[in-house]
Structure formats: structure tokens, C-alpha cells
Amino acid sequence: MDFIEAAPLSFSQLNETIRSAGPDCRVCGCLGQRFIAAGMSGKRIIIDGIPGNALGAYLNGAEITVNGNAQDAVGDTMSAGRIVIHGSAGDAAGYAMRGGEIYIEGNAGYRAGIHMKAYQEHKPVLVIGGRAGSFLGEYQAGGLIVVLSLHTDGRPVVGYFPCTGMHGGKMVFRGDVSNIPFPPQVTSRPATEEDMAEFAPYVREYCRLFHLDPEQLLRDAYTVITPDSKNPYQQMYVAN
């Protein structure tokens, strides 16, 4: 494994160094450098510190692990690969995400999963361990968002206006969300066995990554949010 000391490097120098490194590298002392691993494939990158905005933007198959928090736009428009955050993420995590997986151990900021989309075998997955900010899944067009509500600060599992403009995909919440005001164009229902078969593998993977008991989490009740079949937005978009 190649070790890279990030502190003296600008974001462009850091990215050039990562591209020149071997397939496995560890970035030490990251101090907010932006666009780390943008568009990369074929690498496994461990980051110690706090990466800046657009970590893994346009990611095309690389695997990124962050030992710390991450700033805004994690996985912006990523196509394939995996990002694992051992901490919390800022706003717009998974923005326009169209493939791959993002696992956030803690909380996510505003507009996580906005404009997520899916096509044929490309199905993005965003798993948030704690809570999410306002506008979660805004204009979601595809993919899967799972919110596990493992936060302990007493705040609601999601902020204002979740699922605004949602016209595709699926959102899953662990626990009771009957007090959350979802918009009229989506349907809220208890998870079925078929739903559980779809999202349970990602809950199990979250638990493996962050050392939790999956059986304990999967015994709990889950709520599934999907666009209503009478959704007025649906006619505005081409179906997959």
C-alpha cells in the first residue's frame, strides 16, 4: 500500500499523487482537499482526516473509505464503486447518483439523494445510519435510500420536505415515521417481505462495515416510501 501525506498538497496535487500511486493507497492527514478520487476506477483508497467537497464525484468503480467525516456532495453523480464514511456527511450526499453504493455511519445533511436515478442494471444505494436533513430524496427518480435512525440526539429521523418531487425509486426508514409529513404524491406503507429481501442485504453490509448486529436491526419495523401511481410528476419523465 502506498502512503500519501496530504497536509502539504493542494487538491490538484493530491489527486495527481493518488492517480500516480498503486491500486491501494492511504491518504494521511487529509485537510479538506476537494474532488478526491473524482472519476477514478480500479483503486482502493483509505482517507484519514476530512475530505472536502465532491469526494468521489463521478466515481467509476473505485472504493473509498473515510476514517472521519466528509464535507458536501459525497459521490456527486457517481456511476459505480463504493464510498464508506466512518462519520457523518455534509449536504447533498449522493447528488444525481446513478450507480454504486454509499454507506454513511452517522448523519447526512440537507438534500441527500437528490436526483438519484437508476437505469437497467445500474441501481444506486445510499445508506444513512443516523438521521438526514431536509429535502431527503428530492426529485428522486430511482435507486434506494435507507435511513436507519441510529442517531441518539433526539432529533427527527428526517428534516423538512422529504420526498419532494419524488417520482421513482424507493426510500426506507427504520422505525415509526407516522409523524413525518410526506407529500401527497408518495405512498407510505409497512415493509413487506419482498421489500425486506431488497434492502436487507444493504442493512447487513452496513452492520458489517460498522460492527453492529444485523439481526437486531432487521427485527425492527420498517416503512417504505414510493411514488404514488397517480403521481402527477410521472408523466413528465421517460420510464426505464
Side-chain angles (χ1 to χ4, degrees):
M1 176 179 288
D2 293 334
F3 288 83
I4 300 168
E5 180 55 56
L9 303 178
S10 68
F11 77 90
S12 57
Q13 291 171 328
L14 177 56
N15 274 291
E16 278 301 314
T17 304
I18 293 172
R19 290 183 187 281
S20 301
D24 295 283
C25 63
R26 185 163 200 146
V27 177
C28 305
C30 189
L31 295 170
Q33 288 93 339
R34 298 168 289 161
F35 307 114
I36 293 175
M40 288 190 186
S41 59
K43 284 185 180 289
R44 289 184 294 273
I45 304 164
I46 298 172
I47 299 173
D48 297 326
I50 301 177
N53 291 354
L55 168 72
Y58 304 100
L59 198 69
N60 197 33
E63 296 183 12
I64 303 171
T65 299
V66 179
N67 294 318
N69 299 321
Q71 294 183 8
D72 298 344
V74 170
D76 184 346
T77 323
M78 70 181 283
S79 296
R82 171 178 289 196
I83 301 175
V84 177
I85 309 292
H86 289 266
S88 293
D91 296 341
Y95 178 93
M97 186 181 176
R98 55 197 183 191
E101 300 170 7
I102 298 176
Y103 294 88
I104 301 170
E105 182 177 16
N107 305 320
Y110 292 170
R111 289 189 160 89
I114 179 175
H115 287 299
M116 277 178 64
K117 54 184 70 72
Y119 182 69
Q120 295 180 352
E121 75 277 9
H122 301 286
K123 179 182 174 183
V125 177
L126 171 61
V127 181
I128 300 167
R131 55 177 169 78
S134 298
F135 296 100
L136 174 67
E138 185 179 29
Y139 304 116
Q140 185 182 353
L144 177 65
I145 299 174
V146 180
V147 186
L148 294 175
S149 188
L150 295 170
H151 60 295
T152 57
D153 59 11
R155 296 178 63 178
V157 66
V158 65
Y160 299 112
F161 313 116
C163 308
T164 299
M166 181 183 185
H167 53 274
K170 184 178 290 187
M171 193 178 296
V172 177
F173 292 92
R174 172 179 160 267
D176 180 20
V177 291
S178 58
N179 61 332
I180 303 295
F182 293 103
Q185 83 271 8
V186 302
T187 299
S188 173
R189 56 176 173 77
T192 64
E193 289 186 9
E194 184 178 358
D195 293 321
M196 292 290 290
E198 179 182 5
F199 68 76
Y202 302 109
V203 176
R204 293 182 186 280
E205 181 62 9
Y206 175 94
C207 291
R208 186 191 71 80
L209 290 167
F210 303 117
H211 311 295
L212 296 174
D213 179 6
E215 303 311 321
Q216 180 177 350
L217 287 188
L218 291 170
R219 281 194 296 268
D220 295 336
Y222 286 80
T223 300
V224 173
I225 312 295
T226 54
D228 195 306
S229 60
K230 299 177 182 178
N231 169 16
Y233 296 98
Q234 191 171 34
Q235 60 187 329
M236 300 168 63
Y237 295 87
V238 177
N240 288 344

